[in-house]
């Protein structure tokens, strides 16, 4: 009999399975706690279950767990891990220090199909969506590592490999597990999901009344520039994206964030800043200015500090809420997809 992924089995299914096999049904709750609260990945760690129960589980199910393939730690404490999946694909997560607590950047897909020109993940192509377990596993590992550093995990950002809204069901189910009292019990306000801008899915988030934060990778408010940087803009132009964000704000009352990667001579002029300010008049929004992490062989360059500061000053003079996100992990393969690319066969 082919084994099933235990993290894809509902509590009801597990209770029925235990009953059919002569086991106590209440053990389904114990199993649920071991998997989603304590993050075990070995049936032998479920120590309050009889050995016979553990052997039954072992014979029937498996864990879709992550195995560390390569770990890089920067001088600033940023740690990037390339994980090997059960099927041989690779993903990445990044543990980022800040204010005595840690943020983890997690992946939602193995590879990505959107092909943004500045992103190393695009070179991998799209492999598949991650399971709920594979997503949550990245958080478990990050929490454990933060604790090993005598700290705690305070924030989760879905800004790693893949487009989260193209793995909509699994991403939302993973967040439900992370925020549930039967899971990790984290606040939704500590979670941010970043999208390249899929209007129908942004509307679906609004209809589902999500309570986590939404970030949009904008990178230009000029139609032609954004289309060159992000092919997704050709399918979903800026006007459609704006309409979906207006809908999202009206439904949820949540202010989204624009992620804006400054690229020298591409999108960092005052004219670009003016276009961004005009676009942002349509809804309340925060702007994160991101410093570019160079990728070997890339055509793009880091925007000089003077140019960045002038760009930010222009926006602030127009009452925009702007935050500069300092680049972390500069002395490792920190750009998204960079390490996984190096590890691929």
């Amino acid at each position: 009999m082919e084994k099933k992924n235990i993290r894809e089995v509902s509590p009801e299914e597990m209770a029925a399975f235990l009953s059919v096999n002569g086991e106590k049904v209440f053990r389904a709750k114990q199993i649920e706690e071991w998997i989603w609260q304590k993050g075990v990945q070995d049936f032998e760690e479920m120590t309050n279950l009889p050995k016979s129960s553990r052997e039954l589980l072992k014979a029937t199910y498996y864990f879709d767990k992550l195995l560390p393939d390569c770990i890089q730690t920067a001088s600033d404490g940023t740690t990037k891990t390339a994980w090997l999946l059960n099927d041989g694909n690779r993903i990445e997560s990044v543990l980022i220090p800040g204010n005595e607590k840690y943020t983890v950047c997690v992946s939602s897909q193995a590879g990505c199909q959107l092909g943004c020109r500045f992103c190393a993940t695009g070179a991998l192509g799209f492999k598949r969506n991650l399971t709920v377990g594979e997503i949550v596993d990245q958080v478990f590992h990050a929490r454990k590592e933060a604790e090993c550093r005598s700290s705690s995990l305070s924030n989760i950002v879905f800004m790693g490999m893949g487009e989260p809204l193209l793995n909509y069901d699994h991403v939302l189910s993973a967040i439900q597990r992370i925020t549930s009292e039967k899971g990790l019990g984290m606040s939704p306000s500590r979670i941010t999901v970043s999208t390249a801008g899929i209007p129908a899915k942004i509307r679906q988030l609004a209809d589902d009344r999500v309570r986590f934060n939404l970030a949009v990778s904008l990178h230009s408010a000029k139609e032609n520039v954004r289309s060159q940087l992000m092919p997704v803009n050709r399918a979903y132009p800026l006007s459609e994206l704006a309409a979906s964000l207006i809908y999202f704000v009206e439904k949820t009352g949540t202010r989204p964030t624009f992620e804006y990667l400054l690229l020298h001579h591409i999108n960092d002029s005052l004219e670009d800043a003016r276009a961004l300010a005009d676009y942002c008049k349509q809804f309340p929004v925060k702007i994160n200015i991101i410093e570019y992490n160079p990728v070997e062989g890339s055509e793009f360059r880091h925007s000089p500090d003077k140019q960045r500061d002038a760009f930010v000053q222009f926006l602030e003079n127009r009452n925009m809420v702007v935050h500069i996100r300092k680049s972390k992990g500069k002395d490792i393969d920190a750009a998204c997809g960079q390490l996984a690319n190096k590890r691929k066969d």
Side-chain angles (χ1 to χ4, degrees), residues 259-272:
E259 304 288 340
Y260 197 101
L261 180 67
L262 274 187
L263 301 168
H264 196 35
H265 294 318
I266 302 291
N267 64 355
D268 64 345
S269 70
L270 293 185
E271 183 185 337
D272 292 302

Side-chain angles (χ1 to χ4, degrees), residues 112-123 162-163 195-197 217-219 226-233 261 299-300 336:
C112 185
Q113 64 203 74
L114 297 186
C116 298
R117 284 176 55 200
F118 50 80
C119 181
T121 302
E163 166 54 59
T195 176
S217 295
L218 190 69
H219 309 313
R226 190 168 193 265
S227 291
Q228 289 172 10
L229 293 173
M230 306 175 67
V232 68
N233 193 69
L261 180 67
E299 64 193 283
F300 300 112
C336 187

Side-chain angles (χ1 to χ4, degrees), residues 100-128:
E100 299 181 356
K101 293 184 179 180
Y102 283 83
T103 294
V104 63
C105 177
V106 301
S107 296
S108 56
Q109 296 178 314
C112 185
Q113 64 203 74
L114 297 186
C116 298
R117 284 176 55 200
F118 50 80
C119 181
T121 302
L124 291 167
F126 175 69
K127 306 301 182 182
R128 66 170 174 85

Side-chain angles (χ1 to χ4, degrees), residues 87-317:
D87 60 4
N89 283 309
R90 289 178 176 85
I91 61 167
E92 298 172 349
S93 64
V94 186
L95 187 64
I96 306 165
N99 298 324
E100 299 181 356
K101 293 184 179 180
Y102 283 83
T103 294
V104 63
C105 177
V106 301
S107 296
S108 56
Q109 296 178 314
C112 185
Q113 64 203 74
L114 297 186
C116 298
R117 284 176 55 200
F118 50 80
C119 181
T121 302
L124 291 167
F126 175 69
K127 306 301 182 182
R128 66 170 174 85
N129 287 329
L130 298 189
T131 64
V132 175
E134 289 166 338
I135 295 170
V136 177
D137 231 11
Q138 296 172 71
V139 179
F140 276 129
H141 284 292
R143 185 179 66 165
K144 185 176 180 181
E145 180 60 27
E147 289 171 352
C148 287
R149 300 183 188 188
S150 301
S151 188
S152 61
L153 184 68
S154 63
N155 294 84
I156 302 167
V157 293
F158 283 77
M159 296 181 182
M161 296 170 63
E163 166 54 59
L165 298 191
L166 293 181
N167 188 14
Y168 190 95
D169 291 342
H170 287 176
V171 166
L172 262 65
S173 293
I175 292 173
Q176 191 278 327
R177 289 292 187 182
I178 292 166
T179 57
S180 170
E181 290 304 317
K182 295 180 179 180
L184 295 180
M186 290 187 70
S187 169
S189 66
R190 295 289 185 174
I191 299 173
T192 299
V193 173
S194 179
T195 176
I198 315 293
K201 293 298 182 181
I202 292 173
R203 290 174 180 272
Q204 189 174 349
L205 289 175
D207 290 337
D208 286 340
R209 305 287 177 141
V210 298
R211 295 185 295 128
F212 52 76
N213 302 301
L214 177 67
V216 177
S217 295
L218 190 69
H219 309 313
S220 179
K222 293 179 177 179
E223 206 78 70
N224 62 328
V225 176
R226 190 168 193 265
S227 291
Q228 289 172 10
L229 293 173
M230 306 175 67
V232 68
N233 193 69
R234 297 168 194 160
Y236 309 113
L238 287 166
S239 58
E240 286 188 33
L241 176 59
S244 69
L245 290 173
I246 291 169
Y247 184 82
F248 179 85
V249 171
E250 288 175 348
K251 280 270 191 172
T252 67
T254 301
R255 176 187 298 203
T257 298
F258 280 151
E259 304 288 340
Y260 197 101
L261 180 67
L262 274 187
L263 301 168
H264 196 35
H265 294 318
I266 302 291
N267 64 355
D268 64 345
S269 70
L270 293 185
E271 183 185 337
D272 292 302
R274 183 176 291 106
L276 177 58
D278 289 343
Y279 189 70
C280 291
K281 290 177 181 177
Q282 302 174 82
F283 30 68
V285 66
K286 295 175 285 187
I287 302 169
N288 274 347
I289 300 298
I290 306 169
E291 294 183 330
Y292 179 62
N293 250 334
V295 176
E296 186 178 345
S298 171
E299 64 193 283
F300 300 112
R301 295 292 176 266
H302 173 88
S303 186
D305 290 354
K306 184 177 180 181
Q307 189 80 7
R308 178 203 63 200
D309 292 345
F311 191 96
V312 170
Q313 186 65 54
F314 184 97
L315 296 174
E316 289 179 338
N317 287 343

Side-chain angles (χ1 to χ4, degrees), residues 37-97:
Q37 283 188 336
K38 300 176 182 178
V40 305
Q41 299 179 357
D42 188 329
F43 296 109
E44 290 305 315
E45 295 181 49
M46 299 181 178
T47 51
N48 60 352
L49 271 62
K51 185 169 180 60
S52 60
S53 300
R54 299 198 300 268
E55 291 297 325
L56 176 63
L57 292 174
K58 194 185 302 183
T60 311
Y61 302 107
Y62 72 91
F63 282 93
D64 53 346
K65 57 187 176 183
L66 311 179
L67 297 174
D69 185 48
C70 181
I71 301 173
Q72 294 182 343
T73 300
S75 56
D76 62 11
T78 299
T79 298
K80 169 172 264 196
T81 305
W83 301 101
L84 189 63
L85 308 181
N86 284 353
D87 60 4
N89 283 309
R90 289 178 176 85
I91 61 167
E92 298 172 349
S93 64
V94 186
L95 187 64
I96 306 165

